[in-house]
Amino acid sequence: MCGIIGGIGNTDFRSFLLTGLTKLDYRGYDSAGVAYFEGDKIEIRKVCGRVAALSLLVPQTLHTKVGIGHSRWATHGRPSVVNAHPHASQSGMFAIVHNGVITNFKTLQNQLKARRFQFVSQTDSEVIPHLLEWYYTRSGSVMEALRLAAEELQGSYAVAILCKDDPNHLYYLKKGAPLLICKTQDGIFVSSDPTPLAELGGDFYDLPEGSYGYLGEQEVVCYCGETPTAPTPFPYSGVAQSNELHGYRYHMEKEIADIPYAIAALSDNYLSNGALCFDENLLSALSGAKRIHFLGCGSSFFACQCGVSAFRARGKEALASVASEWLGFPYDLDGTTFFILVSQSGETADLIRCQAILNEKAIPHLTVTNTKMSSLERKSTYSLLLYAGLETAVAATKTFVSEVVLLELLASALGGAAVTEADLNCLIEGANAVLGRRNDLERLLSAFGENTFCLATGRLLPIAREAALKLKEVGYLHAEALASGEMKHGPLALIGEGFPVLALVGEICGQEGLRASLEEIKTRGGVPLVISMASYAQDEDAFVLPNVPAPLVPSLFAIVVDLFAFVLGQSRNHPVDHPRNLAKSVTV
Ligand code: F6R
């Protein structure tokens, strides 16, 4: 989602802003822009498209001491140059970049229109510079304008602000959206997340929630209302994670190829001398809970569903809810349920809202995430990291597999047959075998048009859902996941000559029923394409996976469906790393 970058000090601002925006790329964006001082004028440059296009508009010889930049993922108003940030106030006194959503923007817009402010964009964000100008004109003080604006703005916002009358400061507003600062010898820099600031080598601080203020070259001034406050240290190691492609053409391709390493990283971090090692307090909280309630979104929700099967297999009552649905009707809050929040980014807004409810009620919970010091991780009672390395492509691949494997390890630490290092090694071997057979998957592509069903049963049903999601996301085809037993209750009506059906067969449970459904599909002209595990395979199956220990079967199927979606998306020349309309980190 939207990303903010900015700073004040002595640096090459052209390079800082443009490289910073590129590093925020993983959040997904459709337009980008920067604002900086040229003499005593604020210059704004923006494009609908990529940072590379923006770089053509920014002078090579940019001499400024203060600048801001933004990558926009459209929410209010289509992607366009006019809707791209920075937005200027009516007279050009203020230029702002905003991440978040102003929920009362219509009301504010009407009030400002009545005060003769003209709006040029369709965004919610444009009310911010006009509101600042309104109060600044009346008070003559930027800080007073910020204080009064903060009282009126509702929703979530991280805003970096330039004021034409004051080229020596970078102003900000922050409530409910991330904004970090990095203090260095050369100045102070801000961003939505630490990634673009990691190489600056300074000290990180979090700006206080609900605060406003300004940054000078070596000073930070923050207020909450009329009370002075101070930034809090943010213990970020400052080590930039590599985003290199290492010879691969696509991040998604590389990240799928990384999966065996991601599994090995889990083995290194959660097994010691052959035994599973998790925090004892976490294990006793899990064992003591009446039930386990998983919350997640998208692929991470499907990982949650795999977690449910893993815990149920160990006799633990468990269920999973889509975070946005649970928010509408939060339940299981009587203190007897233990919550597990699963999110690779740790920044997914719906899940952050769920966590706020849990924290308000002091309900202990665990966050499973790939991102140390992410919003969710920082505010969680317990956390488990995936150690999968940076994931850049929008589609979750290695992190999804890591989530599934880690939840299996955690469940197995509660009792029953434990997953061993040998089991994980077997999964790594299986993963390598699958990754080496990309050509076999390419042979299936010609069967696929615009629609497909993904069938499975039992523990593979969440993986069929993951397959359908990935086929939509990078293959742009309509894919629907179904429990195979449901075919005859309606969906069979769509089956006709040549209709492709992807089926995952690797479970004893429901296997016969699934094969029977496939016969019914064939009889009606449909084309079953079966991915099966060796011990359940039949001669006509399209792709046979090596056997792996039962608890790790869903993980191996996850690898093959991710690889298949990549191969399909790439064969259709889709932008597999940045599918249209999607963002890596869903922060709204
Ligand atoms: C699909 C995908 C998304 C994410 C979802 C949750 O490939 O990546 O569905 O899984 O947006 O994101 P996280 O895990 O960061 O909470």
Side-chain angles (χ1 to χ4, degrees), residues 297-300 342-346 348 394-396 403 469-470 473 584 586:
C297 308
S299 293
S300 288
V342 181
S343 169
Q344 82 78 23
S345 64
T348 300
V394 166
E403 287 171 356
L469 175 67
K470 287 291 188 291
E473 193 177 10
K584 179 76 183 155
V586 185

Side-chain angles (χ1 to χ4, degrees), residues 111 275 347 351 408 427 462 483 509 553 586:
Q111 287 168 0
E347 299 293 346
L351 218 46
E408 195 62 58
L427 178 62
C509 142
V553 168
V586 185

Side-chain angles (χ1 to χ4, degrees), residues 230-349:
T232 46
F234 181 84
Y236 180 70
S237 71
V239 178
Q241 291 195 72
S242 167
N243 193 16
E244 300 292 310
L245 278 165
H246 294 292
Y248 290 92
R249 278 184 68 197
Y250 305 97
H251 287 289
M252 187 177 178
E253 181 181 31
K254 175 185 176 289
E255 285 153 13
I256 292 172
D258 281 348
I259 290 173
Y261 304 102
I263 301 166
L266 290 174
S267 179
D268 292 347
N269 283 285
Y270 294 107
L271 280 149
S272 173
N273 298 325
L276 287 164
C277 44
F278 289 102
D279 177 351
E280 284 302 326
N281 292 330
L282 168 63
L283 292 181
S284 65
L286 286 165
S287 342
K290 198 172 122 219
R291 66 169 163 172
I292 311 295
H293 196 143
F294 289 87
L295 297 172
C297 308
S299 293
S300 288
F301 170 67
F302 302 140
C304 290
Q305 291 188 314
C306 292
V308 167
S309 305
F311 276 78
R312 283 186 187 160
R314 269 95 188 174
K316 194 86 204 170
E317 192 184 325
L319 82 164
S321 300
V322 170
S324 55
E325 286 295 304
W326 186 83
L327 277 175
F329 180 59
Y331 63 107
D332 270 349
L333 294 172
D334 64 1
T336 61
T337 297
F338 187 86
F339 282 83
I340 301 183
L341 281 52
V342 181
S343 169
Q344 82 78 23
S345 64
E347 299 293 346
T348 300

Side-chain angles (χ1 to χ4, degrees), residues 188-520:
I188 302 183
F189 301 89
V190 295
S191 179
S192 306
D193 75 48
T195 327
L197 309 180
E199 275 165 16
L200 301 177
D203 297 325
F204 280 82
Y205 296 84
D206 203 357
L207 288 165
E209 195 47 35
S211 71
Y212 65 93
Y214 62 81
L215 317 178
E217 280 187 49
Q218 288 302 331
E219 64 171 338
V220 184
V221 173
C222 307
Y223 276 82
C224 275
E226 294 187 4
T227 315
T229 174
T232 46
F234 181 84
Y236 180 70
S237 71
V239 178
Q241 291 195 72
S242 167
N243 193 16
E244 300 292 310
L245 278 165
H246 294 292
Y248 290 92
R249 278 184 68 197
Y250 305 97
H251 287 289
M252 187 177 178
E253 181 181 31
K254 175 185 176 289
E255 285 153 13
I256 292 172
D258 281 348
I259 290 173
Y261 304 102
I263 301 166
L266 290 174
S267 179
D268 292 347
N269 283 285
Y270 294 107
L271 280 149
S272 173
N273 298 325
L276 287 164
C277 44
F278 289 102
D279 177 351
E280 284 302 326
N281 292 330
L282 168 63
L283 292 181
S284 65
L286 286 165
S287 342
K290 198 172 122 219
R291 66 169 163 172
I292 311 295
H293 196 143
F294 289 87
L295 297 172
C297 308
S299 293
S300 288
F301 170 67
F302 302 140
C304 290
Q305 291 188 314
C306 292
V308 167
S309 305
F311 276 78
R312 283 186 187 160
R314 269 95 188 174
K316 194 86 204 170
E317 192 184 325
L319 82 164
S321 300
V322 170
S324 55
E325 286 295 304
W326 186 83
L327 277 175
F329 180 59
Y331 63 107
D332 270 349
L333 294 172
D334 64 1
T336 61
T337 297
F338 187 86
F339 282 83
I340 301 183
L341 281 52
V342 181
S343 169
Q344 82 78 23
S345 64
E347 299 293 346
T348 300
D350 287 338
L351 218 46
I352 289 174
R353 290 184 197 116
C354 294
Q355 188 184 48
I357 294 174
L358 297 177
N359 279 338
E360 200 178 297
K361 301 205 174 296
I363 294 185
H365 57 278
L366 161 72
T367 293
V368 171
T369 181
N370 197 34
T371 318
K372 192 167 168 52
M373 295 306 295
S374 56
S375 302
L376 284 171
E377 205 250 348
R378 275 183 284 147
K379 294 188 181 141
S380 201
T381 329
Y382 304 96
S383 64
L384 292 177
L385 293 174
L386 300 174
Y387 301 106
L390 187 67
E391 188 174 72
T392 299
V394 166
T397 52
K398 62 176 172 178
T399 58
F400 173 69
V401 174
S402 294
E403 287 171 356
V404 175
V405 174
L406 181 52
L407 292 177
E408 195 62 58
L409 294 181
L410 184 62
S412 93
L414 287 188
V419 176
T420 64
E421 200 173 331
D423 293 339
L424 288 178
N425 287 339
C426 182
L427 178 62
I428 292 172
E429 265 176 50
N432 282 322
V434 167
L435 297 176
R437 289 176 53 210
R438 187 161 143 177
N439 293 349
D440 293 343
L441 289 176
E442 277 163 357
R443 280 190 210 110
L444 311 186
L445 295 179
S446 56
F448 288 84
E450 296 310 309
N451 292 292
T452 187
F453 286 129
C454 301
L455 300 191
T457 62
R459 290 180 316 151
L460 289 181
L461 194 49
I463 307 299
R465 295 188 176 120
E466 167 69 358
L469 175 67
K470 287 291 188 291
L471 289 174
K472 289 185 198 101
E473 193 177 10
V474 294
Y476 296 171
L477 64 89
H478 182 247
E480 187 182 344
L482 287 167
S484 61
E486 284 295 289
M487 275 307 282
K488 54 187 175 294
H489 297 290
L492 207 50
L494 287 184
I495 300 293
E497 211 53 51
F499 193 105
V501 176
L502 191 69
L504 310 181
V505 183
E507 271 277 278
I508 298 182
C509 142
Q511 221 236 120
E512 283 175 14
L514 202 164
R515 291 283 182 191
S517 290
L518 296 177
E519 284 308 315
E520 288 164 9

Side-chain angles (χ1 to χ4, degrees), residues 1-47:
M1 302 278 139
C2 303
I4 287 180
I5 179 103
I8 173 154
N10 297 311
T11 192
D12 172 355
F13 265 92
R14 183 178 196 279
S15 157
F16 168 68
L17 293 174
L18 295 173
T19 315
L21 288 176
T22 311
K23 287 188 179 155
L24 289 170
D25 182 281
Y26 78 93
R27 296 169 80 93
Y29 71 102
D30 41 56
S31 46
V34 292
Y36 47 85
F37 275 93
E38 210 165 70
D40 57 1
K41 269 182 31 207
I42 297 176
E43 292 292 332
I44 294 179
R45 301 281 184 272
K46 44 193 191 174
V47 293

